[in-house]
Amino acid sequence: MSGEVTDALFRSPLHERHVALGAKFAAFGGWEMPLEYAGGGVLREHASVREGVGAFDVSHLGKARVRGAGAAEFVNSCLTNDLGRIKPGQAQYTLCCAEDGGVVDDLIAYLIADDEVFLIPNAANTAEVVRRLAAAAPEGVTISDEHQMYAVLAVQGPRSVEALTHLGLPTGHDYMSFVQTGLGEADVIVCRTGYTGEHGYELVVASDDAVTVWDSLVAEGVQPCGLGARDTLRTEMGYPLHGQDLSREITPVQARSGWAVGWDKPAFWGRDALLAEKAVGARRTLRGLELTGRGIPRGHMTVYAGGQAIGETTSGTFSPTRKVGIALALLDTAAGVADGDVVEIDIRGRKVEARVTRPPFVQTSVR
């Protein structure tokens, strides 16, 4: 996350609300988004989600729609996960891979009907995902980039049910399913998803109605939260961030995201390369590291075992919940480290011990 903000960045339809709340902004994925708010910052916002309820404006996330006869079948032949496993009204985490198995993006697919799929990619990758789908689409299937037509608000935390129920929004549906409903005159899609590990929902609403929905949430006492807390929360869960823990250079096999691959499907982008890598085993694997010494790890820090460099961190932060430094790291498989082993992270020239572990770093009841 860069602190540099320029006039070239897109802005959320809620930008003026964030300014009024004293937000500190950061450039992220081509958008100017709130990093944290005045009156507590990242630590307070993180705690509000773990203990109560917080709302994130994640309108920078992309939106794209695939329509036409056989739209779902077409998407299923492109993206990694198997849309055949779910039914209309359900959502699915999936990956858009290149032919070499590298990850172009990770995204959520909303299966609306056999002839309509709504996609939420990452901000910086939306245009490329749309381009790839449009280039491959058969006659009769259209791909539309709806990035700025909708806002997305993530309502997360153990009190999320209470907050949305008070607003008359549905909350009883299953994890990774969605309901199309309304709040006043605003049409709202309420999906049981999130990026924090807590019980929560993501609300998709037309950009013109975003202020109405946001104001309703704030009036219910929901704590506004910025991307700083979103990052500490997702890192505590070990959730990958594209561009760091997943990328064109980091495959799903290496990132331990093989659960999001429909290995038995006859076709998806990158299938041959991924099957070959899976058969021989990844040369490096994404692992969790929990510091036993003092320090805060960040990305691209070298990891050592027995005095030898065995990989580097991809994400790192201070865990507000655990009060320790935590990281995700790509470690050479040949090094043979196992969960519980002690390694060292070079933090600004000082080697700090860390224990290898499998995330999540905190236990929640996401489902």
Side-chain angles (χ1 to χ4, degrees):
M1 269 179 223
S2 166
E4 179 184 358
V5 177
T6 72
D7 292 337
L9 298 174
F10 294 112
R11 286 179 170 175
S12 160
L14 295 169
H15 182 80
E16 295 306 320
R17 287 295 191 268
H18 302 319
V19 171
L21 288 168
K24 176 182 178 181
F25 292 90
F28 189 74
W31 289 64
E32 182 181 355
M33 298 300 294
L35 182 64
E36 61 181 69
Y37 296 89
V42 172
L43 294 180
R44 178 187 177 189
E45 294 163 21
H46 181 107
S48 72
V49 173
R50 288 281 181 249
E51 301 167 8
V53 59
F56 301 82
D57 176 9
V58 287
S59 300
H60 63 295
L61 293 175
K63 304 96 190 169
R65 198 176 301 271
V66 184
R67 275 199 181 107
E73 182 180 355
F74 164 65
V75 171
N76 202 29
S77 71
C78 300
L79 306 184
T80 62
N81 215 334
D82 189 354
L83 272 180
R85 297 172 180 166
I86 67 173
K87 299 176 180 179
Q90 293 180 303
Q92 185 181 73
Y93 177 82
T94 188
L95 305 166
C96 174
C97 286
E99 287 307 321
D100 63 1
V103 181
V104 175
D105 198 23
D106 62 336
L107 58 162
I108 300 290
Y110 288 55
L111 182 58
I112 296 174
D114 290 343
D115 61 356
E116 185 174 1
V117 182
F118 186 66
L119 302 174
I120 300 189
N122 285 291
N125 303 323
T126 300
E128 179 61 13
V129 170
V130 169
R131 185 194 70 79
R132 286 174 178 262
L133 289 169
E139 185 176 354
V141 172
T142 61
I143 319 298
S144 54
D145 187 337
E146 301 181 356
H147 200 156
Q148 296 189 61
M149 293 173 60
Y150 295 94
V152 183
L153 308 180
V155 183
Q156 302 284 297
R159 285 191 52 239
S160 58
V161 171
E162 176 185 335
L164 294 192
T165 299
H166 283 174
L167 294 177
L169 292 173
T171 59
H173 43 300
D174 292 337
Y175 184 64
M176 296 300 287
S177 69
F178 62 90
V179 176
Q180 301 183 69
T181 183
L183 180 61
E185 297 183 358
D187 292 329
V188 183
I189 297 176
V190 181
C191 193
R192 259 287 284 123
T193 49
Y195 196 48
T196 66
E198 297 295 340
H199 190 104
Y201 304 83
E202 291 179 309
L203 313 181
V204 182
V205 58
S207 294
D208 289 345
D209 294 322
V211 168
T212 297
V213 176
W214 176 266
D215 287 350
S216 297
L217 292 169
V218 172
E220 285 294 329
V222 179
Q223 170 69 49
C225 300
L227 296 186
R230 182 172 162 87
D231 192 59
T232 56
L233 289 158
R234 71 93 189 169
T235 306
E236 286 187 341
M237 295 306 299
Y239 293 159
L241 176 65
H242 190 273
Q244 294 180 199
D245 317 297
L246 288 167
S247 71
R248 284 297 306 272
E249 290 72 44
I250 305 173
T251 70
V253 179
Q254 296 168 19
R256 288 185 166 181
S257 296
W259 59 270
V261 178
W263 295 106
D264 295 330
K265 290 199 307 181
F268 58 87
W269 294 337
R271 180 178 183 270
D272 291 347
L274 292 174
L275 282 171
E277 184 180 30
K278 183 185 179 188
V280 301
R283 63 181 178 84
R284 56 185 186 170
T285 305
L286 195 68
R287 311 294 290 271
L289 302 178
E290 182 176 314
L291 270 63
T292 57
R294 294 177 62 85
I296 301 177
R298 302 298 183 191
H300 303 294
M301 291 180 168
T302 304
V303 180
Y304 293 87
Q308 300 296 314
I310 63 167
E312 72 170 20
T313 56
T314 54
S315 290
T317 192
F318 174 78
S319 165
T321 304
R322 296 286 309 283
K323 305 293 190 292
V324 297
I326 57 175
L328 299 176
L330 275 173
L331 303 183
D332 295 340
T333 305
V337 296
D339 290 350
D341 289 351
V342 174
V343 296
E344 294 179 314
I345 305 175
D346 186 337
I347 301 180
R348 300 180 183 85
R350 182 173 61 92
K351 290 184 178 179
V352 180
E353 288 191 346
R355 193 173 305 280
V356 179
T357 185
R358 184 154 192 167
F361 298 96
V362 301
Q363 297 300 317
T364 66
S365 53
V366 65
R367 301 191 186 200

